[in-house]
Amino acid sequence: MAAVAPARPQEIANERREPVNRRTTRERRRPGALRQLPWRRVRNPYPPLEPLPAEHLEAIVAATGLPRERVDAALSRLLGLGLLKPLAEFVPAAADAPPPPAPLLCIRTCQRPDSLARLLQSLLDDERRFDVRRRYVVVDDGPNAAAGATRSEVEAFARRSASDVRLLGAGERRALVGWLGADVAGLGGLLDPEVLASASGGRAWNWALLLAAGGTLGLLDDDFRFPLRLPLGAAPEIDLVTEYALEAEFFDGPGALRSLAPIDEDPYAMLSRLLGQPPGALLRRHGSSPRSARLRAAASLACLQPPARVAAVCGGIYGALNYDSSVYLSMPNRSTLGSLLRPPFDERRLDGENLWQGRRRPHFMATGVFTPLLLDARDVLPPTGTLGKSDDGLFMALLSTCDPHAPSMAVPAAIGHFPPPGRDRRAAAERAAIEDVSTFCAGVALSVAPMLRSADRSLRLAAVAAVMRDLAGGSDAALAGTWSDWRDRMLLRVIQPLYRSLRDGGPGVAPAWTEHVRRMIAANEAALRERSVSPARLAEVRAALSQLGHAPVDWPTLWARAGAPLLAQLRPLH
């Protein structure tokens, strides 16, 4: 289509308009910026560059009260001036990429054989339902003394399943470390609890990455359950939201979660159709929701531009909340608060034990947050730390920093999450927000990303490691200042939304919830006033920074030796 040259300012000024004093009352109430647009033009010298979505036009008509033809003329003019562009100019349509290889499914477990048995049974049911065979590795991060029960459950599963099943226990771990030899020197803390006995799922995560190197990886925790289910109102159109933004629905009574419909195909076949695809191909295939782009900056789509490929596919959860605190359930999300506070209000909803959390439409994320259901491991992936709790969030932040063209995609499908009882999320929410060194290190990594220009993942990972080493080597005062700055921002990201929730809830909401929110605010405001950082906290932060300042330098060498040759060292169980 030929470009249309914009009119000169004087030509615009000379266009015939109706007298100003004939504006209607509705028009006089328009915001000043809208009044400046030449609504009254008779001639429209700027034909649309492409048909505008009818939903877009109607939404503006409804919001402004203007006649449809005037809205059409104004939008056409903005298109002609280059001030308004169609989505295809930000995220060009693209052809489908070849499908990825079948995934290796790695299950992380640690001293929870009963929970592992329930996951394995649900996987077996899923296999039989869709008549599929898969590849599994159970990564046991527990000590030798507790390994017998886990091994028995995995061997029983292997006998009943038609799939390839392997186990990485303590003995196998020592053998693999020996096979890797000198390449694993200095990385023991990332892989071996006998080197660094921290309570972390990060070691099992790192083994899963190495075993799947060169292919694709499905990550499962032993408290997950199949089948994957869809929320009410799930839709295939893609929301143009690129940040972490979840909603929740609360269920009352036993068995209510069964109202979520199970997906009707092999979940990994569905997820594989998304992994490794250009965002432009998925937008072409599934379409998008124009309403979701409202008030969003065009810069938010930068992570979707070529050569972007979906690096991870993440789902929601149903069952129990995957946080130790339920504070985020009271954040100002209209859908979530509507479900939480619907009458009659049940305080047990604040426990986060019987809910669905996710998104009803798929959307891209510049940086993922939770454990992905499927991960592209065909290019080098970063390790995660083993000294904090949020190993999944740290990994996703490092991935985003190592490759700005590796967005994640969240899908409506949700996996069951049924951890052992004992978490009091409501009580935890009324204490100050959890201060986790992995979340802190994730923030450091993301702060480095805008300064990096290389397209080489290993080089970018080395740059992040250099910053981590620099921070770890600073004085106590410097490190305390960096930690406190991060901590203050983290606390404010809790306090400010909670105040908005109180405002949005209005005077008619349940008093029990209002008091709960006030106690959460008070706890976090008290923590914000605390300015000292204990020596023990400084030592913990310094250790986490030091680990991520040294291990990632040697990680790409280890990655090059891993993958299929490493997996072959684990014999299949029968």
Side-chain angles (χ1 to χ4, degrees), residues 416-566:
H417 180 235
F418 297 95
R423 296 187 190 182
D424 192 342
R425 296 179 183 84
R426 194 191 322 183
E430 295 183 4
R431 298 190 289 269
I434 297 169
E435 301 174 16
D436 176 47
V437 292
S438 287
T439 308
F440 167 74
C441 290
V444 172
L446 292 172
S447 72
V448 175
M451 297 182 284
L452 305 181
R453 295 294 179 269
S454 172
D456 186 295
R457 288 189 179 186
S458 297
L459 188 59
R460 293 174 70 99
L461 184 59
V464 174
V467 173
M468 299 282 186
R469 288 197 303 274
D470 177 73
L471 290 173
S475 66
D476 283 355
L479 185 56
T482 303
W483 170 264
S484 295
D485 288 346
W486 168 81
R487 181 176 176 271
D488 289 349
R489 292 192 299 272
M490 184 265 296
L491 291 169
L492 288 171
R493 284 195 294 269
V494 173
I495 294 168
Q496 292 171 339
L498 288 176
Y499 271 118
R500 291 199 297 272
S501 290
L502 285 179
R503 178 201 64 195
D504 295 345
V509 299
W513 175 79
T514 300
E515 290 306 312
H516 173 65
V517 174
R518 293 192 186 283
R519 288 192 293 270
M520 291 191 289
I521 292 173
N524 285 282
E525 287 182 336
L528 193 61
R529 290 190 292 270
E530 176 58 54
R531 307 315 302 160
S532 63
V533 182
S534 70
R537 175 68 76 189
L538 279 180
E540 182 184 6
V541 175
R542 199 182 298 278
L545 289 168
S546 181
Q547 182 184 66
L548 293 171
H550 292 90
V553 177
D554 299 321
W555 179 262
T557 302
L558 191 63
W559 181 274
R561 286 201 62 198
L566 184 66

Side-chain angles (χ1 to χ4, degrees), residues 27-72:
E27 290 166 359
R28 281 196 296 271
R29 290 177 180 169
R30 280 188 235 119
L34 292 179
R35 288 201 300 267
Q36 301 306 314
L37 291 174
W39 305 110
R40 303 298 189 177
R41 290 183 293 108
V42 173
R43 180 175 56 88
N44 174 17
Y46 300 106
L49 300 184
E50 67 172 33
L52 290 164
E55 181 184 355
H56 220 85
L57 287 173
E58 297 305 327
I60 297 175
V61 169
T64 62
L66 294 166
R68 192 180 191 283
E69 63 273 12
R70 292 178 183 170
V71 173
D72 196 6

